[in-house]
Amino acid sequence: MRIVPRQEQGALVLAVTGDLDIDNVTPLGAALESAAADGDDPVVVDLSDVSFADSTTVNVLLQGQTLLGPRLRLAEPSPFVERLIGVLGLDSVLPVFPTVTEAIAAPLRR
């Protein structure tokens, strides 16, 4: 698993690649925690290159939402992640966007 952070159009984008599971999801949680402490900009988690995610990943994302509130947005879920989001109904709790650009442009919902 790898996380590549970048600034894009006033947002922090965390591009995540690889498998996310109990053994390696801790850096994602740390990145979300750090983002919560740094400013008010949107934080977009780009999931387009995630090949696997487990319940630990879901928990980290939900904890991220607790920390970041409406600043947290998920974008471009890979087919695996899209199925996971659908099965668990996460899209009713976390904002999910088809592209990073749309996630950045979305207004903050409070």
Side-chain angles (χ1 to χ4, degrees):
M1 190 276 296
R2 191 174 80 156
I3 301 171
V4 177
R6 70 178 186 273
Q7 288 293 321
E8 187 174 324
Q9 300 174 358
L12 171 62
V13 178
L14 301 173
V16 183
T17 304
D19 292 350
L20 293 170
D21 58 34
I22 193 167
D23 293 327
N24 65 8
V25 77
T26 303
L28 177 58
L32 294 174
E33 230 177 272
S34 176
D38 293 339
D40 295 322
D41 295 333
V43 177
V44 178
V45 181
D46 178 351
L47 300 167
S48 59
D49 289 325
V50 173
S51 49
F52 175 81
D54 67 2
S55 61
T56 311
T57 306
V58 172
N59 188 40
V60 166
L61 293 173
L62 291 172
Q63 288 173 352
Q65 187 209 27
T66 299
L67 292 168
L68 292 159
R71 294 174 50 208
L72 179 63
R73 296 107 188 264
L74 308 182
E76 295 188 42
S78 67
F80 182 89
V81 175
E82 191 169 28
R83 280 191 304 279
L84 181 65
I85 288 169
V87 166
L88 296 176
L90 285 178
D91 52 349
S92 67
V93 179
L94 296 168
V96 181
F97 297 89
T99 68
V100 169
T101 301
E102 289 175 75
I104 292 170
L108 283 178
R109 294 180 292 181
R110 300 224 179 237

